Amino acid sequence: MKSVILLAAGLCAGALVIRAASAPENYETHCASCHGKDGKGETKAGRKAQVKDLSDKAYQAKFDDAAAFKAIKEGMKDDKGKEKMKAYGDKLTDDEIKALIAYVRGLAK
Ligand code: HEC
């Protein structure tokens, strides 16, 4: 009986860890400040960084998943080498980045 309780407790702890790193939460923590909850980028930081509308299908068609992956993992710079979006390779795992791309794709209607 004791082992069953321990097993159940272990499963709950595991579920919490996975939940804490889910794409919507990572988006909220790392991305929404610029891109906005809805992806439109109508935030103070978003306007300053001149983000484009991630809820716009036409914009999303301009980059494929590989480009988005690289942009999130390694960051993006403009033509003059000024940082547009910072690199998240040290904060997010490859799997988290992939989940975020799927999440971002879902923001476009
Ligand atoms: C400091 C503000 C800022 C934050 C925070 C930010 N971004 Fe961006 N993001 C930008 C800017 C600016 C662009 C470039 C817009 C352009 O094309 O000029 C961009 C572009 C993108 C693109 C398009 C990539 C491409 O290849 O064109 C994706 C996808 C994206 N961001 C996802 C994310 C995700 C996911 C996060 C959170 C992990 C995030 N961004 C956090 C500012 C930000």
Side-chain angles (χ1 to χ4, degrees):
M1 190 59 204
K2 203 172 172 194
S3 64
V4 171
I5 292 166
L6 281 176
L7 180 66
L11 286 174
C12 287
L16 278 178
V17 170
I18 292 162
R19 225 189 70 76
S22 75
E25 277 161 336
N26 276 332
Y27 184 85
E28 179 98 35
T29 309
H30 301 291
C31 324
S33 58
C34 283
H35 290 289
K37 272 191 183 180
D38 53 5
K40 289 188 191 299
E42 287 164 348
T43 66
K44 209 175 159 198
R47 274 189 280 268
K48 200 166 160 247
Q50 292 180 299
V51 293
K52 304 213 167 75
D53 186 354
L54 282 175
S55 73
D56 177 6
K57 260 200 164 140
Y59 172 53
Q60 286 232 15
K62 291 195 177 130
F63 56 85
D64 60 14
D65 287 0
F69 185 86
K70 196 168 181 288
I72 299 166
K73 194 176 167 86
E74 297 169 17
M76 278 177 92
K77 292 196 167 87
D78 68 13
D79 300 340
K80 295 183 192 88
K82 200 176 156 281
E83 185 176 87
K84 291 209 276 189
M85 186 167 110
K86 65 179 178 187
Y88 288 92
D90 56 344
K91 291 198 183 67
L92 302 166
T93 65
D94 287 5
D95 283 345
E96 283 176 317
I97 293 173
K98 282 179 199 152
L100 270 172
I101 295 166
Y103 181 79
V104 163
R105 293 294 187 200
L107 295 173
K109 281 139 215 137

